[in-house]
Amino acid sequence: MLRPKLPDIPTLPTTTLTPQHTQAPASAGRPVAPYVGAGVGAVAAVVVVGIVLTALLAAVAVTAVSVAVAAVVLRSLLSSANKR
């Protein structure tokens, strides 16, 4: 059958590169990675706490609305029972 012809994979040049030595910055004594990791962890913690608090606030609001509706319904039922 007909088979598509795939293009040949280009070969990379085989030259070797010598590493260039650069002078380290003046603040090379302190690693930056722990500060970055702590910042990411702190941001993640704040986001998680914010989501949890928002969910709790929504739950309290829904509960308050349902209690208010139940109070109005009970009040209506009691007032109509007293008028009979």
Side-chain angles (χ1 to χ4, degrees):
M1 286 296 189
L2 298 174
R3 292 187 182 183
K5 184 176 190 293
L6 298 174
D8 295 331
I9 299 174
T11 58
L12 297 174
T14 59
T15 59
T16 59
L17 299 175
T18 58
Q20 296 178 353
H21 297 287
T22 58
Q23 186 174 0
S27 64
R30 285 200 241 161
V32 178
Y35 299 117
V36 173
V40 171
V43 169
V46 168
V47 169
V48 168
V49 169
I51 290 171
V52 169
L53 289 178
T54 303
L56 287 174
L57 181 64
V60 168
V62 168
T63 304
V65 168
S66 65
V67 167
V69 168
V72 168
V73 169
L74 286 174
R75 182 178 174 190
S76 173
L77 288 173
L78 291 175
S79 66
S80 65
N82 289 337
K83 289 181 182 179
R84 289 185 193 176

